[in-house]
Each structure stands twice: as C-alpha cells, then as structure tokens.
Amino acid sequence: MKVAGKSTRSIELAADGWAAVIIDQTRLPHDFVLRRLENLAQAAEAIRDMWVRGAPLIGATAAYGMALAMRADPSDENLENAARTLMATRPTAVNLRWAVEDMRARLKPLGPQVRTGAAYARAAEICEEDVATNRAIGEHGLELLRKAWEAGGEQDRVNVLTHCNAGWLATVDWGTALAPIYLAQDAGIPVHVWADETRPRNQGASLTAWELGQHGVPHTVIADNAGGHLMQHGMVDLCIVGTDRTTARGDVCNKIGTYLKALAAHDNGVPFYVGLPGPTIDWSIEDGLVEIPIEERDGREVSEITGLNQVGQIETVRLTPDGSPVANHAFDVTPARLVTGLITERGVCPATTEGLLSLYPERHNSMRGT
Amino acid sequence: MKVAGKSTRSIELAADGWAAVIIDQTRLPHDFVLRRLENLAQAAEAIRDMWVRGAPLIGATAAYGMALAMRADPSDENLENAARTLMATRPTAVNLRWAVEDMRARLKPLGPQVRTGAAYARAAEICEEDVATNRAIGEHGLELLRKAWEAGGEQDRVNVLTHCNAGWLATVDWGTALAPIYLAQDAGIPVHVWADETRPRNQGASLTAWELGQHGVPHTVIADNAGGHLMQHGMVDLCIVGTDRTTARGDVCNKIGTYLKALAAHDNGVPFYVGLPGPTIDWSIEDGLVEIPIEERDGREVSEITGLNQVGQIETVRLTPDGSPVANHAFDVTPARLVTGLITERGVCPATTEGLLSLYPERHNSMRGT
C-alpha cells in the first residue's frame, strides 16, 4: 500500500540483498522510521518489542530472522538455537510457530553450506505467498462489501468497524481485515472505516488510522467503548477483524476486546466477519476458551501511554494513580457462535468445523480425534 | 470517604460560610487540588469543564451555583439567568435539571431579600440528602455482595467490575455503584474491584482507582477491552455501574461502553447491577435508545490524553495521526433486558416499569400515558 504516495511493504530486503528492512511500528503514527535487521538478535527484538506485529508479519520477520541466523552460522546447533530464540518471542502467535517450523524443516536436511541461500529464498517466498494470500482474502471480502453497498441502493457509504490493526502493516502487504477495504476503494465502492482505538497498545488509533489515512481511505477513530452505541444506531454495516489464531471449530483468538464487539454485532444483527490466512488456523484445537493460553503483558502498557507532546516529541505519560495495580490480558477468544463468517484466501465459510473443512479438505487428518 | 486518612467530601462549604469548595477532578489522580467556587460563572465552569462530574455531584454543584448567583443578585431576572446558565452546561444530565428546577421552584415564590439564605439552606440539604441516599444504596447493595461472598463459602474475595466512576467523587459522599463496596469492606467482606479504565476520559483509571486506593480497597485497573475476557474466565462475580439517567422501564444511560459490559455479563451469567438514586430516574421516557439524546463531546478527548510525564508534570499527548477524524459519543444506553437489578435508596428491584413502581409507587402518575 501507499506511504506518502509511494508503494511500500512492511518488510523488504535491503538494497544490499541481505539485511531485512522493517518499519518501526512503535514510532507510528508520529514518525515513519525504517530499521535494518542484520542478525538473529535484532529480528527477535523486532518481534518481542513489537517493532513488527500482526501474525503474518511476525511470521515473515521470523523467516528472515532464520535467514540472518544462517548467514552468521549455518550449523545444526545454530539452526536449533535460532528456532528456539524466535519461538520464545511471542508465545500466542501460531503464525510465528508455523514460519519457524517451516524454515527449520526445510533447512535441516540441507548441508550447512547451502542453508543460507535456501533460507533467503524461502523467506522471500513466504513474503510473496502472504501478499498473494491477502489479496485473495481481499477479493473474497470485497464481494461482501459490494453486497452491503448494493443492499443500501449504492447510495450510502459502507461503514465497516474494525478492531486493532489487521491491515497491511500487520502483514507484508494488503492486510487481512483491511484488504477487502482497500480493494473496495479501488473498485469505487465508497467505504468508511470506524477504527477502534484498541487500548492498551492503541494499534487502531495509531496504525490502522495511519495506514488508512496514508492510502486515502475515509475513516474515523473511536474509543473501544463506542462500537456498541454505533451498532445500536445503525451506523455500522459490518465488522471485519483479524485473528492471531482460529481453532478448528472457528473460535477466534484476537486482540483483547474483539469479543465485546462480536457480542454487540450479534445483539444488533450486524454481520461479524474475520479475515484470516490459512496458516493462522490451529487445527489441533477446538475450544478456544479452554485451550488457548492468553498472553499477559507488562502492566505498563495499561498504566502508561505514549504519544506526541506539544513540542513534537514522543513522550510516555502515566495514567493511573501511584500504587494502583494493573492487569493486562492481551487477547480474548470470540466463540464461533458470534462469528458470521471467516474470510480466507480460499473463500468465505461459516465459523464451523464443516465450514473450514469445506475450504481446507486436505486438513481433515490434521484434526484431533479424526 | 478518606483522602490520605482524612474524611473528605467532594463538595463542602468553605470555612467562610459562603464559597463552595470542590476537588478539581481533572487533576486527579496525580494532584489533589481543591478549588473555591465564588460565583455562578465558576460553578458553571466547574460543571462544563468537568472539574466536577457524576450526576449527583453535578446536581449539588448546580445547587450551590444557584446559591452563589443569589448571593450576587437575588432578582427574578438573575434567578432565571442562573437556571438557564447551569442547565446549558451538560445537556444529558437529568440530575442537573432536577437540582436546578428544585432550586428555582423553591426560590421563585420568595422575596429577593430571603432568597440567598434559602438557597444556601436548600443546597446544604440537597448534599445531606445525597449522602443519606447513597448510604442507603450502599446498604441494599451490601446484601448482594454478602450473598456473593456466602455463595463462595466465604473463602474467595468477591470480584466486582465497575465502569467509569460512580464512587464518592461522583456524588457528595459514598458514591452510588461504589457505596456497596465501601460498606462491604467496612463489614469485613473481602472485596476486590476491577476498574475499567473508561476511555476516553479515563475516569476509571484516574478517579475510581484513586478513590479506592485512598480508602484502602483492593482494586486492579484494566483496559475497557478486558472485561469480557475476565467474565469468560469466571473472574468477575458481579458488575455494578452507575447511571446518568434511567428510563421508566429500566433502560440505563451511562458512560459509553457500559452496554458492552452488560452484553458480556449477560453472555456469561454474571449479574449486572446499576446503582442509582431516585432523582436520576426519568419517568417521562420509556425507550432509552430512541428517546435519550447522546452528548457528542470534543474529539480531542479521544485524539489526546493527559497523564504524568517522566519529570512529574501533567502533560497532554496526541495519540492519533495528524488529520485522522475522531468521533466521541459520551454515553450509551443499556437496554433493561440486560440489567439484573437496579439498586436504589429504597431497595433492589428488577429493571422494569413494575419493578420501579414497586419502589416508587407515588410516581405512577408521572409516567407518560398513565
């Protein structure tokens, strides 16, 4: 997508052909800063400290992390070390595990002398696959937006509510939840996005609003508390969110607060869709509420917040009283019963085991108990 | 309740016997600053700029605003002017209207020469009535907390989730939603409060956390997005919130985001209670969604936030990208079907017309269509 009019990806190989270049997303929306990742430690730091975030981009960054590790030391020992190091950065992200295991499985049988080249080739391929996947998600989702527009007599703008950031910044390009929106805009459908702020890390207010604004998509930032009110008053045509992990029966683990929006959508008859690439489906689990461990992050993400002060510096301020304890659960699970449909690269399906298997029949044997 | 060990009210007459002293709540939780209100304009400013907030405290401040206006000029003309000025400060607050109309109705028949004394007497009485009302709400709510504690075999702490601030800072003393919690703590019931941050104005993270902390009540601040997850995992025994306005059938207009928590409580079988004093019931309306106008406030409350910077100064930082539009609906309406019970100064009743009339039978004739 575009940044200041220039097509940009969230991760790209540097001109020197070996370092990976990412956007330091912790500086957005106030500063657009590119960072070079030159070794495994930097790639791990980029994931752990959330310079990059979003399941697909985490996967792509981990793949380049493996390549950078092989460039430094392609031994069996370092292959295992790199996989272990990257896996430990964000325990909830199934896409991270997928990318690291894919890389390890492909590199392990090779001799150390060819591992580096193979690793870079595979990392690039993972990126291209992600772009193609997201574009396909966008095309399937576009049809839902087109129908909503037609249902309104092609008069009113189509209002989409989204939570967190599942846009191109969370992937290599296009995004998952936002890909349909970019394609709708390209297709001349007037779309408007309600962007949930998404406390505590504010990915909606900072990243979603920034990337929509840079690409010229009309949008409005709202507090996380506001979505229910908007839905009660007919101001939301549909919700589209992303997911970090979807279970085999369609339970959706996504940023904390997603569940509350799904409840409001259900209560008001607003369709609630989830955009996801196949690799984020965890076929080994069914019941997301019971089986998905929820990451608890540093309480300072709640007690403090970072923004631009009046003299143009990025500054962190404390919001809570000295001594008040804080809790910070990072994700929640939206039960499949609240999800209208899953938008995948292969099409849209109900959030059920049958629905998912109709699109991914080859995964029948991956499921537990089958 | 206590501040640094000293019993304090949110509004008190100054030692000189004529100025009203309030806490500048916009400085909390970082600074405890008292302000003198010496005239009508200052009282109106205190309400409009939210140095004071919360329906009962707004009513009490408006009552003193009328008294201060009479002290300056007790003419008929100034009586009308004072009423008009105060009414315009916060259009959604029914309690403001009630207090101003009560004062006007009592003062109008009096001669100008006795209006000032009568106004101060009535303002003091309104404050004392509020304290008594809230204590009664607390005693009725205490029984709900006691039952929850007994249901857990008197073993585990009772976890209460609250949204925004309906504590003593929102009233003259005790609070509405928090009065049962203070009384439970006094009664030896181990209570713990999940305090929703309450974006965009963060009344939970700043005011609720501060007043609970000052009084020694265990609490944890959470993002507004977190409550659904906590309820899914059995970590909330009951919710208690306040309300700015309750309709004759029990629809509850309260801080934006309340509806989302009520949906989550309903979905997880968690009781959802609303603490309210009789005067906040608007007997003239039934359907809160259709009939209550929702105040839209300055978008900067969403795009900016204020906290304590690293050198101990209160500073405002911008959170959203330059140029991204923002919307800021201040309240939402929770339909009565999601409310387990209304805790009033006369007892606990179902959120229905019949329930409310069982406690307020004298209001039967106030209802539209009866």
Side-chain angles (χ1 to χ4, degrees):
Chain A
M1 300 294 102
K2 298 254 162 71
V3 176
K6 179 173 176 283
S7 286
T8 307
R9 285 186 172 184
S10 64
I11 185 165
E12 298 184 271
L13 211 55
D16 60 24
W18 67 271
V21 177
I22 54 133
I23 302 164
D24 180 353
Q25 299 193 18
T26 65
R27 307 288 297 180
L28 292 176
H30 311 297
D31 280 344
F32 177 64
V33 176
L34 298 172
R35 281 187 189 254
R36 279 172 64 87
L37 306 181
E38 301 192 342
N39 54 49
L40 170 66
Q42 289 175 346
E45 188 180 5
I47 299 170
R48 190 177 45 242
D49 292 350
M50 298 177 81
W51 304 347
V52 295
R53 16 69 53 207
L57 177 56
I58 288 171
T61 307
Y64 273 111
M66 294 291 281
L68 289 164
M70 292 302 94
R71 182 172 185 271
D73 170 7
S75 67
D76 282 10
E77 193 185 349
N78 198 41
L79 181 61
E80 293 307 319
N81 166 54
R84 218 172 24 245
T85 301
L86 290 164
M87 292 283 218
T89 51
R90 294 287 304 277
T92 314
V94 68
N95 207 264
L96 168 68
R97 200 169 72 198
W98 171 82
V100 170
E101 282 179 356
D102 177 275
M103 294 291 285
R104 182 167 58 179
R106 286 167 194 262
L107 299 176
K108 196 153 191 180
L110 304 179
Q113 72 288 356
V114 296
R115 277 181 182 156
T116 304
Y120 274 98
R122 180 57 185 153
E125 197 174 51
I126 284 175
C127 289
E128 293 307 324
E129 284 172 5
D130 182 60
V131 174
T133 295
N134 299 333
R135 202 189 146 90
I137 290 170
E139 282 163 359
H140 296 299
L142 166 62
E143 296 313 308
L144 300 171
L145 294 175
R146 193 190 301 281
K147 274 179 206 149
W149 190 45
E150 288 168 358
E154 303 188 4
Q155 300 271 318
D156 302 326
R157 65 184 191 179
V158 178
N159 287 294
V160 183
L161 183 141
T162 193
H163 190 69
C164 198
N165 176 260
W168 72 265
L169 287 170
T171 64
V172 178
D173 209 353
W174 291 103
T176 52
L178 299 192
I181 288 159
Y182 289 119
L183 284 165
Q185 167 121 335
D186 288 353
I189 298 169
V191 68
H192 165 262
V193 179
W194 297 106
D196 277 358
E197 176 182 48
T198 320
R199 282 281 288 150
R201 292 187 63 88
N202 275 40
Q203 294 95 332
S206 54
L207 306 179
T208 298
W210 183 82
E211 67 163 89
L212 291 172
Q214 289 291 325
H215 202 78
V217 178
H219 64 282
T220 305
V221 178
I222 51 172
D224 299 299
N225 285 322
H229 171 76
L230 297 177
M231 292 188 228
Q232 284 178 316
H233 290 272
M235 295 159 81
V236 180
D237 294 301
L238 69 170
C239 302
I240 312 181
V241 301
T243 168
D244 283 67
R245 197 165 173 182
T246 303
T247 74
R249 74 176 188 196
D251 290 348
V252 169
C253 181
N254 191 42
K255 189 63 51 195
I256 191 83
T258 302
Y259 166 56
L260 295 170
K261 295 307 150 58
L263 284 168
H266 189 260
D267 199 45
N268 292 286
V270 173
F272 190 90
Y273 289 100
V274 181
L276 69 149
T280 61
I281 303 166
D282 188 340
W283 295 93
S284 69
I285 61 175
E286 292 274 331
D287 184 337
L289 266 177
V290 170
E291 299 182 74
I292 297 179
I294 298 297
E295 182 182 352
E296 286 191 58
R297 296 182 56 82
D298 191 330
R300 282 177 300 183
E301 292 181 356
V302 176
S303 62
E304 299 178 354
I305 200 165
T306 298
L308 199 69
N309 70 15
Q310 316 224 324
V311 294
Q313 293 164 331
I314 292 179
E315 181 154 16
T316 298
V317 296
R318 186 155 57 79
L319 302 174
T320 53
D322 209 10
S324 279
V326 160
N328 184 15
H329 297 87
F331 301 92
D332 63 22
V333 171
T334 298
R337 67 185 149 87
L338 301 175
V339 178
T340 307
L342 303 171
I343 311 172
T344 78
E345 72 279 14
R346 296 194 189 173
V348 181
C349 72
T352 60
T353 304
E354 299 67 36
L356 280 167
L357 284 176
S358 73
L359 296 181
Y360 300 92
E362 75 279 15
R363 300 311 297 254
H364 200 277
N365 294 331
S366 320
M367 291 189 58
R368 196 176 50 190
T370 59
Chain B
M1 301 291 102
K2 299 253 163 76
V3 176
K6 178 171 176 284
S7 287
T8 307
R9 285 186 173 184
S10 64
I11 185 164
E12 297 182 274
L13 210 55
D16 59 25
W18 66 271
V21 178
I22 54 133
I23 302 165
D24 180 353
Q25 299 194 19
T26 66
R27 306 288 296 179
L28 293 176
H30 310 298
D31 279 345
F32 177 65
V33 177
L34 297 173
R35 280 187 190 255
R36 278 172 66 89
L37 306 181
E38 301 192 342
N39 53 49
L40 170 66
Q42 288 175 347
E45 187 180 7
I47 298 169
R48 191 177 44 242
D49 291 353
M50 298 176 83
W51 304 347
V52 295
R53 12 71 54 209
L57 177 56
I58 288 171
T61 306
Y64 274 110
M66 293 291 281
L68 289 163
M70 291 304 93
R71 183 172 186 269
D73 170 6
S75 67
D76 283 9
E77 191 184 350
N78 197 42
L79 181 61
E80 293 308 318
N81 166 54
R84 220 172 22 245
T85 302
L86 290 163
M87 292 283 216
T89 52
R90 294 289 303 278
T92 315
V94 69
N95 206 265
L96 167 68
R97 202 170 70 198
W98 171 82
V100 170
E101 283 180 354
D102 178 274
M103 295 290 286
R104 182 168 56 179
R106 286 167 192 261
L107 299 176
K108 197 155 189 179
L110 304 179
Q113 72 287 358
V114 296
R115 277 182 182 156
T116 305
Y120 274 98
R122 179 58 185 152
E125 197 175 51
I126 284 176
C127 289
E128 292 308 322
E129 284 172 4
D130 181 61
V131 174
T133 295
N134 299 333
R135 199 186 151 94
I137 291 170
E139 281 163 0
H140 295 300
L142 166 61
E143 296 313 309
L144 299 171
L145 294 174
R146 194 190 301 282
K147 274 179 205 148
W149 190 45
E150 288 168 358
E154 302 189 4
Q155 300 271 317
D156 301 328
R157 64 184 191 179
V158 178
N159 286 294
V160 182
L161 184 140
T162 193
H163 190 68
C164 198
N165 176 259
W168 72 264
L169 287 170
T171 63
V172 178
D173 209 353
W174 291 104
T176 51
L178 299 192
I181 288 158
Y182 289 120
L183 284 165
Q185 167 121 334
D186 288 353
I189 297 170
V191 68
H192 166 263
V193 179
W194 297 108
D196 277 359
E197 176 181 48
T198 320
R199 283 284 286 149
R201 292 187 63 89
N202 275 41
Q203 294 94 330
S206 53
L207 306 179
T208 298
W210 183 82
E211 66 163 89
L212 292 172
Q214 290 290 325
H215 203 78
V217 178
H219 64 282
T220 305
V221 178
I222 51 172
D224 299 299
N225 285 322
H229 171 76
L230 297 177
M231 292 189 227
Q232 285 177 315
H233 290 272
M235 295 160 80
V236 180
D237 295 301
L238 69 169
C239 302
I240 311 180
V241 301
T243 170
D244 282 66
R245 196 165 175 182
T246 303
T247 74
R249 75 176 187 196
D251 290 347
V252 170
C253 181
N254 190 43
K255 190 62 51 194
I256 190 84
T258 302
Y259 166 55
L260 295 170
K261 295 307 150 59
L263 284 168
H266 189 259
D267 199 46
N268 292 286
V270 174
F272 190 90
Y273 289 101
V274 181
L276 67 149
T280 62
I281 303 167
D282 188 340
W283 296 93
S284 70
I285 61 174
E286 291 274 331
D287 184 336
L289 265 176
V290 170
E291 298 182 75
I292 298 180
I294 298 296
E295 182 182 352
E296 285 190 59
R297 295 182 56 83
D298 191 329
R300 281 178 300 182
E301 292 181 356
V302 175
S303 63
E304 299 178 353
I305 199 166
T306 299
L308 199 69
N309 71 14
Q310 317 226 322
V311 295
Q313 294 164 330
I314 292 179
E315 182 155 15
T316 298
V317 296
R318 186 156 56 80
L319 302 173
T320 52
D322 209 9
S324 279
V326 161
N328 184 17
H329 298 86
F331 301 92
D332 63 21
V333 172
T334 298
R337 66 185 150 87
L338 301 175
V339 178
T340 308
L342 303 172
I343 312 172
T344 79
E345 72 278 15
R346 297 194 188 173
V348 181
C349 73
T352 60
T353 305
E354 298 69 35
L356 280 167
L357 285 176
S358 73
L359 296 181
Y360 300 91
E362 76 278 15
R363 300 311 297 252
H364 200 277
N365 293 332
S366 322
M367 291 189 60
R368 196 177 49 192
T370 60

